[in-house]
Amino acid sequence: MGDSVSVHQSLGGGSVADLLLWRNRTGAVILLFASTGFWFLFERAGYNLLSFVSNVLLLLVAILFLWAKSATVLNRPLPPVPNMEIPEEFAIKAADDLRLWINYVLSIASDITIARSPIRLLQVSFVLLVISYVGTLINSLTLVYIGVLLSLSFPIVYETYQDHIDDKLNSTSKFVRSVSRKFPMPVSKEKKHQ
């Protein structure tokens, strides 16, 4: 099948790819159990995220305070607290990534409003309609949990059965192309925009 890229390489080839392909079994199991635990805690047990974060931080602050007080009384070393500031390079990179994403969204809005692209309008409308429909059926936390489960399942299944899946996708693609050729494509007329 030509020059195909491995699943590991297409996922970035790093630690994330190892995690999603279960090559780092410990990390994948920890991610699976942690996401299941959080989902159960917040969705089924009815615990609130704000209460959870507040209680964890309260416990952390109390432990650090008691550790520091007992360290001075017992002449022991103070607790190791990391430097709590955001590096400037990280803030600049995050702002640059956010700017690129915002510019992409604005270019889509420009395609819809200024260029009057009906195809782009239909694409955006369809995606927003699907998101709205799924949002009425599933809680967002459950949707994130399903996303974690699928991201831990699909890559390993695809890597295992890549040839069979590629064959089915190719035949489906050929069928869709043959059916779509039967419908005439509209000819777009260029208009001058000011």
Side-chain angles (χ1 to χ4, degrees), residues 57-68:
L57 288 176
L58 178 64
L59 183 64
L60 180 65
V61 168
I63 289 172
L64 288 175
F65 176 77
L66 291 175
W67 188 350

Side-chain angles (χ1 to χ4, degrees), residues 20-70:
L20 293 177
L21 292 172
W22 289 78
R23 292 183 182 161
N24 177 359
R25 290 196 189 279
T26 306
V29 168
I30 289 172
L31 178 62
L32 179 64
F33 280 116
S35 61
T36 301
F38 278 119
W39 177 79
F40 182 79
L41 184 68
F42 295 128
E43 187 65 27
R44 291 290 161 212
Y47 207 61
N48 189 325
L49 178 65
L50 187 59
S51 299
F52 176 75
V53 170
S54 176
N55 288 337
V56 167
L57 288 176
L58 178 64
L59 183 64
L60 180 65
V61 168
I63 289 172
L64 288 175
F65 176 77
L66 291 175
W67 188 350
K69 281 297 186 185
S70 65

Side-chain angles (χ1 to χ4, degrees), residues 100-166:
L100 289 174
W101 188 80
I102 290 173
N103 283 341
Y104 176 70
V105 170
L106 290 176
S107 73
I108 291 174
S110 174
D111 282 350
I112 292 171
T113 58
I114 296 172
R116 294 183 182 98
S117 171
I119 300 296
R120 183 66 81 162
L121 175 65
L122 289 175
Q123 290 172 339
V124 170
S125 299
F126 179 73
V127 168
L128 291 176
L129 184 66
V130 167
I131 290 171
S132 174
Y133 182 71
V134 169
T136 61
L137 298 176
I138 300 175
N139 187 338
S140 18
L141 183 63
T142 302
L143 192 60
V144 168
Y145 179 62
I146 290 171
V148 168
L149 291 180
L150 292 178
S151 67
L152 287 173
S153 304
F154 278 174
I156 189 70
V157 169
Y158 181 72
E159 185 180 50
T160 306
Y161 302 106
Q162 184 173 4
D163 294 333
H164 300 295
I165 293 172
D166 287 346

Side-chain angles (χ1 to χ4, degrees), residues 1-2 158 162-178:
M1 283 198 180
Y158 181 72
Q162 184 173 4
D163 294 333
H164 300 295
I165 293 172
D166 287 346
D167 288 341
K168 296 298 180 190
L169 287 177
N170 284 335
S171 63
T172 304
S173 175
K174 289 176 185 174
F175 175 74
V176 168
R177 273 190 246 127
S178 69

